[in-house]
Each structure stands twice: as structure tokens, then as C-alpha cells.
């Protein structure tokens, strides 16, 4: 017979699975799943589908109806206690006359954290929080950073051979990884608010930077961002002219010729002038501006130069590396990070919470920059 904790974990795991169905669709809101359980049976369930639409708790309670009285609500995030795009959920929870509410984690927003659970407890409903918190925090790692800092969560994605090369000595890079890994990259794009590359990647590969999922699966094209300090972006580049409604933004500096800026703007490209040190784009200023626009997640698909700049600027949160079982060799073959690098091993960027996942013929390595 299952203990109460095991039952709570079971239903919260299911709520987390529900929440994950909306991955990439709720920004700038979190992903949230909710389940109403009574007498060992699920009588209502739901998840937050999109910002501005009803929250998970509302879907689950509406499905349960009057039967929710005396039931337990399992929810992956504390019910909100403030007015945003929708009314506070804690009032609906209280009105449903539930017996118990179990939340995986409190709201990370410092302005409202704990208020929802306190309101529910004050109404005489038993509350519990913190079960499967680590899993809930990982699910909403993007939201957690954004709501606490106002800055996007940046994932640096690379594909490398077993000996750490992103291309051969001739620059040939199609394809480093197999089909399954490349499909995963498109899923990552679908989950992200924006894709960011450097001008070197555009000039070398002329990418579309769009999401191409298997037939029958709808995907979204994120905002495309090109970091280009001198505005060398060609007017015929596919990142400007793809078969997509997604917008393109170019971050540049005052080194760029005004005429080039005007021509890009005439093509519908937004150009931001953000001067940083050594004639480079100020990546921290760019992140701040994107945060103000509610761009919460960025998939950094840059080359070695932009990767180095991003690490030096401290904007990278997560590193996603697809490792292919190939060795190409060559001292002139590029790696995933250029720049001057670190002089000593004890100065290296450290990764934590490491994970290795087989994907087709390749391995997907995940790690988080230790702050």
C-alpha cells in the first residue's frame, strides 16, 4: 500500500507531465499542471496553455466541478495570489472548498512568494509545499531566472565531434551529428523565444533559423537575433528572407555604416545599436533589452567567437552539446569556443548538474554554468 508521500509524488509527477505539454508556449508565464484527486481518482486535470489564458488550476477545478469539494489539488506551482493577465487562482481554489492543496514549489516571484499558499491556509485548507521541488524548478528554469532577474535564460548549443571540432579544417560542417540530434535542435528552437547567432555563422552557413518539425507537428519560429558589430549582414541572407513570419533583430555598434542600417531596416529588420568594449556588441545590454520585451529564453547557436563572447559576458546559463562519434583532427579545425580563453585550469568555466542522454547515434550532454 502506498504511503501518503508516495501518492503525492505520483500525482505531482503526472501534473508535471501535463505542464510540460505547453513547453515553449507559455512565455513569459511558467508552465503549470494541476490535478484534482478524490477517493483515489482523478476528477479534474489541466495545464496552462498560453499567457493570458486560464491557469492550470482553473482548468482542473472546472473539470472537477462540484465534486472538487473535499478533494486534493496537486499543482506544480503555488496558486497565484495576484492579478496579472488573469485573476488570482487562490480565490478559485478557496471557493472550491478543497480539503488539501499540495504544491511542488512556491512562486519564485519575490513580490508574491508564499502569499497564495497563506491565503489558502487561512481559509482552513490544509497546504503542503516542496514535494518534487527540484523537478518543478528544472521544468521552469527559464521562468525562474526571468522572474527573479528580468533577464533571458540563455542556452549555448553546439555540435562537436569526439575530438571537440565543430567543422573540419576546410570549414565543412554538414553534418556533424545525425538526423535524430538535428531534429532535437529543432525541438529546442520550438521551445525558445529567440535564436541568436553571430555574423560569422550567417556568412558561413546562411541559416534560416526557423523551426522545422516532423510533418503534422505544429511548431513556432522564434525571434531571430544576429550579433553583427559592423553590419556585414547581406541583404540576400536567408535569416532576413525565409518563408516565415518571425522577425529578425540585428544587434550592432556605431562602427556600422548608417546606409547599411537603413537598408536592413527597409527590409523589415530591426537594428539595435549597443556599443560594448573593444568595438563589440554589448551582450549584457542586449539581454536587458530582450528581457524588457519579455523574451525569456534564448537558444544561442553561435560559432566559436560568439560563444566565447557570451561566456566572457556571463550571459550563458546552460550548455547543450551534441557529441558525435567522429574524429576529424586538424590543428586548424575550429572548436566550440574561441577567444583568448582562460590562462589557468582553475579559472575555467565550471559546469554542474551534468547529464548525458543518448540520441540516435550521438550523445546529448547537458550542463549548467556554475555561477
Amino acid at each position: 500500500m502506498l504511503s501518503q508521500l508516495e501518492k503525492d509524488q505520483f500525482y505531482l509527477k503526472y501534473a508535471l507531465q501535463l505542464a510540460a505539454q505547453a513547453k515553449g508556449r507559455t512565455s513569459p508565464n511558467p508552465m503549470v499542471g494541476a490535478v484534482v484527486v478524490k477517493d483515489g481518482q482523478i476528477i479534474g486535470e489541466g495545464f496552462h496553455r498560453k499567457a493570458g489564458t486560464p491557469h492550470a488550476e482553473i482548468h482542473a477545478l472546472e473539470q472537477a466541478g462540484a465534486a472538487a469539494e473535499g478533494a486534493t489539488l496537486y499543482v506544480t506551482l503555488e496558486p497565484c495570489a495576484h492579478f496579472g493577465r488573469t485573476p488570482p487562482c487562490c480565490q478559485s481554489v478557496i471557493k472550491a472548498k478543497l480539503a488539501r492543496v499540495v504544491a511542488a514549489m512556491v512562486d519564485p516571484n519575490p513580490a508574491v512568494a508564499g502569499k497564495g499558499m497563506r491565503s489558502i491556509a487561512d481559509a482552513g485548507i490544509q497546504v503542503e509545499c516542496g514535494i518534487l521541488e527540484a523537478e518543478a524548478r528544472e521544468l521552469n528554469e527559464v521562468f525562474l531566472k526571468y522572474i527573479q532577474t528580468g533577464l533571458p535564460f540563455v542556452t549555448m548549443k553546439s555540435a562537436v565531434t569526439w575530438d571537440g571540432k565543430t567543422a573540419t579544417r576546410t570549414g565543412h560542417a554538414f553534418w556533424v551529428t545525425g538526423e535524430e540530434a538535428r531534429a532535437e535542435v529543432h525541438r529546442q528552437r520550438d521551445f525558445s523565444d529567440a535564436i541568436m547567432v553571430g555574423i560569422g555563422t550567417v556568412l558561413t552557413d546562411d541559416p534560416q533559423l526557423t523551426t522545422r518539425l516532423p510533418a503534422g507537428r505544429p511548431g513556432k519560429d522564434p525571434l531571430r537575433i544576429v550579433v553583427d558589430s559592423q553590419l556585414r549582414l547581406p541583404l540576400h541572407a536567408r535569416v532576413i528572407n525565409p518563408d516565415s513570419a518571425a522577425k529578425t533583430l540585428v544587434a550592432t555598434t556605431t562602427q556600422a555604416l548608417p546606409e547599411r542600417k537603413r537598408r536592413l531596416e527597409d527590409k523589415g529588420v530591426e537594428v539595435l545599436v549597443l556599443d560594448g568594449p573593444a568595438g563589440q556588441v554589448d551582450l549584457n545590454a542586449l539581454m536587458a533589452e530582450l528581457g524588457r520585451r519579455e523574451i525569456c529564453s534564448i537558444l544561442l547557436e553561435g560559432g566559436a567567437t560568439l560563444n566565447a563572447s557570451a561566456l566572457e559576458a556571463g550571459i550563458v546559463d546552460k550548455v547543450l552539446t551534441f557529441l558525435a562519434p567522429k574524429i576529424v583532427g586538424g590543428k586548424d579545425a575550429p572548436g566550440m569556443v574561441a577567444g583568448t580563453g582562460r590562462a589557468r585550469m582553475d579559472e575555467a568555466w565550471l559546469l554542474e548538474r551534468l547529464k548525458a542522454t543518448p540520441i540516435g547515434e550521438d550523445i546529448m550532454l547537458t550542463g549548467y554554468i556554475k555561477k
Side-chain angles (χ1 to χ4, degrees), residues 227-231 250-257 261 271-287 289:
V227 178
D228 181 6
S229 60
Q230 298 181 25
L231 280 191
V250 178
T252 190
T253 68
T254 51
Q255 295 181 84
L257 295 175
K261 181 175 182 291
V271 180
L272 286 179
V273 179
L274 300 167
D275 283 318
Q280 301 301 309
V281 171
D282 187 332
L283 294 179
N284 282 292
L286 175 59
M287 293 303 105
E289 177 58 30

Side-chain angles (χ1 to χ4, degrees), residues 102-368:
V102 182
M105 61 177 290
V106 298
D107 192 322
N109 186 340
V112 297
K115 290 183 178 180
M117 296 301 272
R118 283 196 297 272
S119 296
I120 294 168
D122 289 345
I125 298 172
Q126 182 184 350
V127 299
E128 189 162 354
C129 194
I131 300 173
L132 300 188
E133 181 175 356
E135 292 86 342
R137 293 181 71 87
E138 182 176 353
L139 176 71
N140 275 311
E141 59 190 11
V142 168
F143 175 73
L144 263 66
K145 181 184 180 184
Y146 178 74
I147 200 65
Q148 293 173 337
T149 68
L151 299 172
F153 184 95
V154 179
T155 299
M156 187 176 81
K157 187 278 298 181
S158 298
V160 300
T161 60
W162 205 263
D163 53 338
K165 308 297 186 181
T166 57
T168 68
R169 60 180 173 78
T170 65
H172 188 264
F174 298 107
W175 293 99
V176 174
T177 55
E179 186 175 342
E180 291 90 343
R182 299 198 299 274
E184 177 60 28
V185 171
H186 284 278
R187 285 191 287 272
Q188 294 295 325
R189 289 180 176 183
D190 182 51
F191 299 155
S192 303
D193 292 340
I195 307 172
M196 187 165 76
V197 299
I199 184 59
T201 296
V202 175
L203 295 176
T204 301
D205 300 336
D206 193 21
Q208 297 181 64
L209 301 184
T210 54
T211 300
R212 298 181 292 282
L213 297 177
R217 291 186 56 193
K220 78 173 193 306
D221 289 340
L223 171 70
R224 297 181 297 272
I225 303 169
V226 180
V227 178
D228 181 6
S229 60
Q230 298 181 25
L231 280 191
R232 294 184 289 155
L233 181 63
L235 295 178
H236 58 76
R238 293 199 297 174
V239 73
I240 300 175
N241 304 291
D243 184 18
S244 171
K247 296 180 179 180
T248 299
L249 182 152
V250 178
T252 190
T253 68
T254 51
Q255 295 181 84
L257 295 175
E259 179 61 18
R260 290 182 179 175
K261 181 175 182 291
R262 185 190 63 77
R263 289 177 179 175
L264 285 171
E265 289 173 337
D266 287 346
K267 293 277 288 185
V269 175
E270 181 180 4
V271 180
L272 286 179
V273 179
L274 300 167
D275 283 318
Q280 301 301 309
V281 171
D282 187 332
L283 294 179
N284 282 292
L286 175 59
M287 293 303 105
E289 177 58 30
L290 293 171
R292 282 191 286 271
R293 300 182 185 200
E294 296 188 335
I295 300 297
C296 302
S297 57
I298 297 174
L299 186 62
L300 174 58
E301 296 196 47
T305 299
L306 183 57
N307 285 348
S309 297
L311 286 168
E312 291 288 358
I315 68 169
V316 178
D317 298 289
K318 185 176 181 179
V319 178
L320 185 62
T321 305
F322 293 90
L323 180 63
K326 302 173 182 177
I327 296 175
V328 298
K331 63 182 179 63
D332 295 325
M336 62 183 284
V337 181
T340 56
R342 294 299 198 226
R344 296 171 52 89
M345 277 295 173
D346 55 10
E347 298 172 344
W349 292 281
L350 298 179
L351 298 176
E352 58 185 1
R353 290 184 282 155
L354 309 178
K355 185 187 298 183
T357 307
I359 180 163
E361 62 197 59
D362 308 303
I363 300 173
M364 183 171 68
L365 303 173
T366 305
Y368 295 81

Side-chain angles (χ1 to χ4, degrees), residues 83-106:
F83 281 89
R85 289 180 169 91
T86 59
C89 290
C90 65
Q91 297 304 316
S92 297
V93 170
I94 294 168
K95 187 177 179 181
K97 299 180 180 179
L98 293 157
R100 185 168 177 250
V101 173
V102 182
M105 61 177 290
V106 298

